[in-house]
Amino acid sequence: MRAIRAATTATLGVAALALTAPPAGAAVHGGSTPFGFTVTPSTVAPGGRVTLGVTNCATSATASSAVFDTVTIPSGRTAAATVDWDAKRGAVYQVSFSCNGTTGRTNLTVAAAAAPTRAPTASATSVTPSGVRGGLGGSVGGVGPGELAAGTALVVAAAAGALWTARRRTEDRVR
């Protein structure tokens, strides 16, 4: 039983490590700087968001580019920046990262023009915009007897499962 728990723990640890690694498409550069930096994704459409990260920087770092405002990146964390809507499609812009007076640079590519879209066809109906019924969370209607029975059945099943598991563990310890 302990071997299964150890294997499960090891598998979860490896999965967590794999999920925290930068994606394969992330631009990771560092060159000769004592710190590393990332721009994810390395290609973005005008108005899109990029995630900026810095590693091995004991203080806050900054990232700047001609296509977004200067961003402060807290130590050990990431920050997001929105690319300007008027960024030239297909152009490559330089992103500068600064940590403790040292500067590193990488490129950010603005996606080329999107495929032209077809003009929408005319419709005989028109839609009048109206507000969203926010804040109600689907609670406008009442609870019907079917929903009440289903909810009760789920609660009873969960309680029975918990009791069965607790009782089974107690019996295992007695043996």
Side-chain angles (χ1 to χ4, degrees), residues 113-141:
T117 58
R118 291 180 25 193
T121 57
S123 173
T125 61
S126 64
V127 178
T128 304
S130 62
V132 176
R133 293 177 57 182
L136 298 176
S139 62
V140 175

PDB file of all heavy atoms in Angstrom, residues 113-141:
ATOM      1  N   ALA A 113      -1.123  39.841 -41.336  1.00  0.00           N
ATOM      2  CA  ALA A 113      -2.552  40.114 -41.532  1.00  0.00           C
ATOM      3  C   ALA A 113      -3.357  38.827 -41.507  1.00  0.00           C
ATOM      4  O   ALA A 113      -2.966  37.809 -42.049  1.00  0.00           O
ATOM      5  CB  ALA A 113      -2.774  40.838 -42.848  1.00  0.00           C
ATOM      6  N   ALA A 114      -4.491  38.894 -40.882  1.00  0.00           N
ATOM      7  CA  ALA A 114      -5.384  37.747 -40.812  1.00  0.00           C
ATOM      8  C   ALA A 114      -6.033  37.545 -42.170  1.00  0.00           C
ATOM      9  O   ALA A 114      -6.128  38.462 -42.986  1.00  0.00           O
ATOM     10  CB  ALA A 114      -6.449  37.974 -39.745  1.00  0.00           C
ATOM     11  N   ALA A 115      -6.490  36.330 -42.411  1.00  0.00           N
ATOM     12  CA  ALA A 115      -7.172  36.037 -43.676  1.00  0.00           C
ATOM     13  C   ALA A 115      -8.413  36.907 -43.781  1.00  0.00           C
ATOM     14  O   ALA A 115      -9.113  37.135 -42.796  1.00  0.00           O
ATOM     15  CB  ALA A 115      -7.546  34.568 -43.737  1.00  0.00           C
ATOM     16  N   PRO A 116      -8.695  37.412 -44.962  1.00  0.00           N
ATOM     17  CA  PRO A 116      -9.882  38.260 -45.095  1.00  0.00           C
ATOM     18  C   PRO A 116     -11.146  37.472 -44.772  1.00  0.00           C
ATOM     19  O   PRO A 116     -11.265  36.306 -45.104  1.00  0.00           O
ATOM     20  CB  PRO A 116      -9.858  38.696 -46.562  1.00  0.00           C
ATOM     21  CG  PRO A 116      -8.963  37.723 -47.244  1.00  0.00           C
ATOM     22  CD  PRO A 116      -8.010  37.197 -46.215  1.00  0.00           C
ATOM     23  N   THR A 117     -12.042  38.136 -44.110  1.00  0.00           N
ATOM     24  CA  THR A 117     -13.296  37.481 -43.749  1.00  0.00           C
ATOM     25  C   THR A 117     -14.365  37.857 -44.754  1.00  0.00           C
ATOM     26  O   THR A 117     -14.340  38.936 -45.342  1.00  0.00           O
ATOM     27  CB  THR A 117     -13.745  37.904 -42.342  1.00  0.00           C
ATOM     28  OG1 THR A 117     -13.874  39.323 -42.323  1.00  0.00           O
ATOM     29  CG2 THR A 117     -12.736  37.467 -41.303  1.00  0.00           C
ATOM     30  N   ARG A 118     -15.306  36.965 -44.935  1.00  0.00           N
ATOM     31  CA  ARG A 118     -16.418  37.253 -45.837  1.00  0.00           C
ATOM     32  C   ARG A 118     -17.358  38.248 -45.184  1.00  0.00           C
ATOM     33  O   ARG A 118     -17.564  38.228 -43.978  1.00  0.00           O
ATOM     34  CB  ARG A 118     -17.170  35.972 -46.150  1.00  0.00           C
ATOM     35  CG  ARG A 118     -16.353  35.028 -46.995  1.00  0.00           C
ATOM     36  CD  ARG A 118     -17.073  33.758 -47.314  1.00  0.00           C
ATOM     37  NE  ARG A 118     -18.520  33.885 -47.274  1.00  0.00           N
ATOM     38  CZ  ARG A 118     -19.339  32.851 -47.282  1.00  0.00           C
ATOM     39  NH1 ARG A 118     -18.862  31.632 -47.308  1.00  0.00           N
ATOM     40  NH2 ARG A 118     -20.636  33.019 -47.266  1.00  0.00           N
ATOM     41  N   ALA A 119     -17.928  39.078 -46.000  1.00  0.00           N
ATOM     42  CA  ALA A 119     -18.894  40.045 -45.490  1.00  0.00           C
ATOM     43  C   ALA A 119     -20.131  39.292 -45.019  1.00  0.00           C
ATOM     44  O   ALA A 119     -20.569  38.339 -45.650  1.00  0.00           O
ATOM     45  CB  ALA A 119     -19.270  41.042 -46.576  1.00  0.00           C
ATOM     46  N   PRO A 120     -20.688  39.686 -43.900  1.00  0.00           N
ATOM     47  CA  PRO A 120     -21.873  38.990 -43.417  1.00  0.00           C
ATOM     48  C   PRO A 120     -23.040  39.195 -44.374  1.00  0.00           C
ATOM     49  O   PRO A 120     -23.172  40.243 -45.000  1.00  0.00           O
ATOM     50  CB  PRO A 120     -22.145  39.638 -42.061  1.00  0.00           C
ATOM     51  CG  PRO A 120     -21.425  40.933 -42.085  1.00  0.00           C
ATOM     52  CD  PRO A 120     -20.277  40.765 -43.029  1.00  0.00           C
ATOM     53  N   THR A 121     -23.859  38.180 -44.473  1.00  0.00           N
ATOM     54  CA  THR A 121     -25.034  38.291 -45.340  1.00  0.00           C
ATOM     55  C   THR A 121     -26.116  39.073 -44.614  1.00  0.00           C
ATOM     56  O   THR A 121     -26.194  39.069 -43.390  1.00  0.00           O
ATOM     57  CB  THR A 121     -25.555  36.896 -45.720  1.00  0.00           C
ATOM     58  OG1 THR A 121     -25.852  36.189 -44.529  1.00  0.00           O
ATOM     59  CG2 THR A 121     -24.523  36.121 -46.525  1.00  0.00           C
ATOM     60  N   ALA A 122     -26.931  39.734 -45.388  1.00  0.00           N
ATOM     61  CA  ALA A 122     -28.010  40.526 -44.807  1.00  0.00           C
ATOM     62  C   ALA A 122     -29.044  39.598 -44.177  1.00  0.00           C
ATOM     63  O   ALA A 122     -29.315  38.504 -44.653  1.00  0.00           O
ATOM     64  CB  ALA A 122     -28.666  41.385 -45.884  1.00  0.00           C
ATOM     65  N   SER A 123     -29.623  40.064 -43.114  1.00  0.00           N
ATOM     66  CA  SER A 123     -30.615  39.270 -42.409  1.00  0.00           C
ATOM     67  C   SER A 123     -31.926  40.047 -42.365  1.00  0.00           C
ATOM     68  O   SER A 123     -31.932  41.268 -42.281  1.00  0.00           O
ATOM     69  CB  SER A 123     -30.124  38.985 -40.980  1.00  0.00           C
ATOM     70  OG  SER A 123     -31.127  38.353 -40.249  1.00  0.00           O
ATOM     71  N   ALA A 124     -33.009  39.313 -42.400  1.00  0.00           N
ATOM     72  CA  ALA A 124     -34.317  39.950 -42.382  1.00  0.00           C
ATOM     73  C   ALA A 124     -34.706  40.377 -40.975  1.00  0.00           C
ATOM     74  O   ALA A 124     -35.605  41.183 -40.791  1.00  0.00           O
ATOM     75  CB  ALA A 124     -35.361  39.003 -42.951  1.00  0.00           C
ATOM     76  N   THR A 125     -34.047  39.820 -39.976  1.00  0.00           N
ATOM     77  CA  THR A 125     -34.387  40.168 -38.604  1.00  0.00           C
ATOM     78  C   THR A 125     -33.339  41.112 -38.049  1.00  0.00           C
ATOM     79  O   THR A 125     -32.190  41.100 -38.469  1.00  0.00           O
ATOM     80  CB  THR A 125     -34.452  38.911 -37.718  1.00  0.00           C
ATOM     81  OG1 THR A 125     -33.164  38.296 -37.719  1.00  0.00           O
ATOM     82  CG2 THR A 125     -35.497  37.940 -38.205  1.00  0.00           C
ATOM     83  N   SER A 126     -33.742  41.915 -37.128  1.00  0.00           N
ATOM     84  CA  SER A 126     -32.787  42.782 -36.459  1.00  0.00           C
ATOM     85  C   SER A 126     -32.852  42.506 -34.964  1.00  0.00           C
ATOM     86  O   SER A 126     -33.905  42.158 -34.428  1.00  0.00           O
ATOM     87  CB  SER A 126     -33.104  44.252 -36.749  1.00  0.00           C
ATOM     88  OG  SER A 126     -34.368  44.575 -36.206  1.00  0.00           O
ATOM     89  N   VAL A 127     -31.716  42.652 -34.338  1.00  0.00           N
ATOM     90  CA  VAL A 127     -31.627  42.388 -32.906  1.00  0.00           C
ATOM     91  C   VAL A 127     -31.410  43.716 -32.202  1.00  0.00           C
ATOM     92  O   VAL A 127     -30.513  44.471 -32.549  1.00  0.00           O
ATOM     93  CB  VAL A 127     -30.462  41.425 -32.603  1.00  0.00           C
ATOM     94  CG1 VAL A 127     -30.338  41.184 -31.111  1.00  0.00           C
ATOM     95  CG2 VAL A 127     -30.655  40.121 -33.349  1.00  0.00           C
ATOM     96  N   THR A 128     -32.235  43.980 -31.246  1.00  0.00           N
ATOM     97  CA  THR A 128     -32.081  45.180 -30.452  1.00  0.00           C
ATOM     98  C   THR A 128     -31.234  44.841 -29.240  1.00  0.00           C
ATOM     99  O   THR A 128     -31.587  43.939 -28.477  1.00  0.00           O
ATOM    100  CB  THR A 128     -33.458  45.707 -29.978  1.00  0.00           C
ATOM    101  OG1 THR A 128     -34.272  45.900 -31.124  1.00  0.00           O
ATOM    102  CG2 THR A 128     -33.295  46.992 -29.207  1.00  0.00           C
ATOM    103  N   PRO A 129     -30.090  45.501 -29.073  1.00  0.00           N
ATOM    104  CA  PRO A 129     -29.237  45.169 -27.943  1.00  0.00           C
ATOM    105  C   PRO A 129     -29.946  45.464 -26.619  1.00  0.00           C
ATOM    106  O   PRO A 129     -30.668  46.452 -26.481  1.00  0.00           O
ATOM    107  CB  PRO A 129     -28.019  46.068 -28.108  1.00  0.00           C
ATOM    108  CG  PRO A 129     -28.226  46.874 -29.337  1.00  0.00           C
ATOM    109  CD  PRO A 129     -29.560  46.566 -29.890  1.00  0.00           C
ATOM    110  N   SER A 130     -29.770  44.582 -25.703  1.00  0.00           N
ATOM    111  CA  SER A 130     -30.304  44.810 -24.359  1.00  0.00           C
ATOM    112  C   SER A 130     -29.253  44.368 -23.363  1.00  0.00           C
ATOM    113  O   SER A 130     -28.323  43.652 -23.699  1.00  0.00           O
ATOM    114  CB  SER A 130     -31.602  44.029 -24.159  1.00  0.00           C
ATOM    115  OG  SER A 130     -31.356  42.645 -24.272  1.00  0.00           O
ATOM    116  N   GLY A 131     -29.400  44.771 -22.161  1.00  0.00           N
ATOM    117  CA  GLY A 131     -28.425  44.459 -21.126  1.00  0.00           C
ATOM    118  C   GLY A 131     -28.431  42.992 -20.737  1.00  0.00           C
ATOM    119  O   GLY A 131     -29.362  42.251 -21.026  1.00  0.00           O
ATOM    120  N   VAL A 132     -27.381  42.604 -20.079  1.00  0.00           N
ATOM    121  CA  VAL A 132     -27.253  41.243 -19.592  1.00  0.00           C
ATOM    122  C   VAL A 132     -27.868  41.165 -18.205  1.00  0.00           C
ATOM    123  O   VAL A 132     -27.731  42.076 -17.400  1.00  0.00           O
ATOM    124  CB  VAL A 132     -25.759  40.851 -19.519  1.00  0.00           C
ATOM    125  CG1 VAL A 132     -25.583  39.484 -18.919  1.00  0.00           C
ATOM    126  CG2 VAL A 132     -25.131  40.927 -20.885  1.00  0.00           C
ATOM    127  N   ARG A 133     -28.563  40.082 -17.947  1.00  0.00           N
ATOM    128  CA  ARG A 133     -29.140  39.914 -16.617  1.00  0.00           C
ATOM    129  C   ARG A 133     -28.068  39.346 -15.711  1.00  0.00           C
ATOM    130  O   ARG A 133     -28.018  38.165 -15.399  1.00  0.00           O
ATOM    131  CB  ARG A 133     -30.339  38.974 -16.683  1.00  0.00           C
ATOM    132  CG  ARG A 133     -31.493  39.603 -17.471  1.00  0.00           C
ATOM    133  CD  ARG A 133     -32.654  38.688 -17.623  1.00  0.00           C
ATOM    134  NE  ARG A 133     -33.162  38.238 -16.343  1.00  0.00           N
ATOM    135  CZ  ARG A 133     -34.164  37.399 -16.200  1.00  0.00           C
ATOM    136  NH1 ARG A 133     -34.774  36.931 -17.255  1.00  0.00           N
ATOM    137  NH2 ARG A 133     -34.563  37.032 -15.005  1.00  0.00           N
ATOM    138  N   GLY A 134     -27.160  40.197 -15.302  1.00  0.00           N
ATOM    139  CA  GLY A 134     -26.018  39.764 -14.495  1.00  0.00           C
ATOM    140  C   GLY A 134     -26.366  39.704 -13.023  1.00  0.00           C
ATOM    141  O   GLY A 134     -27.292  40.339 -12.534  1.00  0.00           O
ATOM    142  N   GLY A 135     -25.622  38.909 -12.311  1.00  0.00           N
ATOM    143  CA  GLY A 135     -25.767  38.821 -10.867  1.00  0.00           C
ATOM    144  C   GLY A 135     -26.803  37.834 -10.395  1.00  0.00           C
ATOM    145  O   GLY A 135     -26.893  37.543  -9.216  1.00  0.00           O
ATOM    146  N   LEU A 136     -27.609  37.316 -11.298  1.00  0.00           N
ATOM    147  CA  LEU A 136     -28.634  36.383 -10.864  1.00  0.00           C
ATOM    148  C   LEU A 136     -28.116  34.956 -10.845  1.00  0.00           C
ATOM    149  O   LEU A 136     -28.648  34.117 -10.136  1.00  0.00           O
ATOM    150  CB  LEU A 136     -29.867  36.490 -11.764  1.00  0.00           C
ATOM    151  CG  LEU A 136     -30.538  37.861 -11.750  1.00  0.00           C
ATOM    152  CD1 LEU A 136     -31.676  37.892 -12.743  1.00  0.00           C
ATOM    153  CD2 LEU A 136     -31.040  38.186 -10.360  1.00  0.00           C
ATOM    154  N   GLY A 137     -27.096  34.660 -11.645  1.00  0.00           N
ATOM    155  CA  GLY A 137     -26.467  33.357 -11.610  1.00  0.00           C
ATOM    156  C   GLY A 137     -27.388  32.203 -11.908  1.00  0.00           C
ATOM    157  O   GLY A 137     -27.212  31.105 -11.396  1.00  0.00           O
ATOM    158  N   GLY A 138     -28.409  32.390 -12.682  1.00  0.00           N
ATOM    159  CA  GLY A 138     -29.315  31.303 -13.023  1.00  0.00           C
ATOM    160  C   GLY A 138     -30.342  31.019 -11.948  1.00  0.00           C
ATOM    161  O   GLY A 138     -31.056  30.026 -11.998  1.00  0.00           O
ATOM    162  N   SER A 139     -30.440  31.887 -10.966  1.00  0.00           N
ATOM    163  CA  SER A 139     -31.355  31.635  -9.857  1.00  0.00           C
ATOM    164  C   SER A 139     -32.719  32.282 -10.043  1.00  0.00           C
ATOM    165  O   SER A 139     -33.477  32.405  -9.100  1.00  0.00           O
ATOM    166  CB  SER A 139     -30.730  32.139  -8.553  1.00  0.00           C
ATOM    167  OG  SER A 139     -30.526  33.528  -8.624  1.00  0.00           O
ATOM    168  N   VAL A 140     -33.033  32.691 -11.266  1.00  0.00           N
ATOM    169  CA  VAL A 140     -34.300  33.353 -11.507  1.00  0.00           C
ATOM    170  C   VAL A 140     -35.459  32.380 -11.330  1.00  0.00           C
ATOM    171  O   VAL A 140     -36.440  32.677 -10.683  1.00  0.00           O
ATOM    172  CB  VAL A 140     -34.326  33.983 -12.920  1.00  0.00           C
ATOM    173  CG1 VAL A 140     -35.684  34.579 -13.219  1.00  0.00           C
ATOM    174  CG2 VAL A 140     -33.256  35.042 -13.018  1.00  0.00           C
ATOM    175  N   GLY A 141     -35.322  31.199 -11.916  1.00  0.00           N
ATOM    176  CA  GLY A 141     -36.399  30.208 -11.819  1.00  0.00           C
ATOM    177  C   GLY A 141     -36.352  29.490 -10.477  1.00  0.00           C
ATOM    178  O   GLY A 141     -35.349  29.491  -9.770  1.00  0.00           O
TER     179      GLY A 141
END
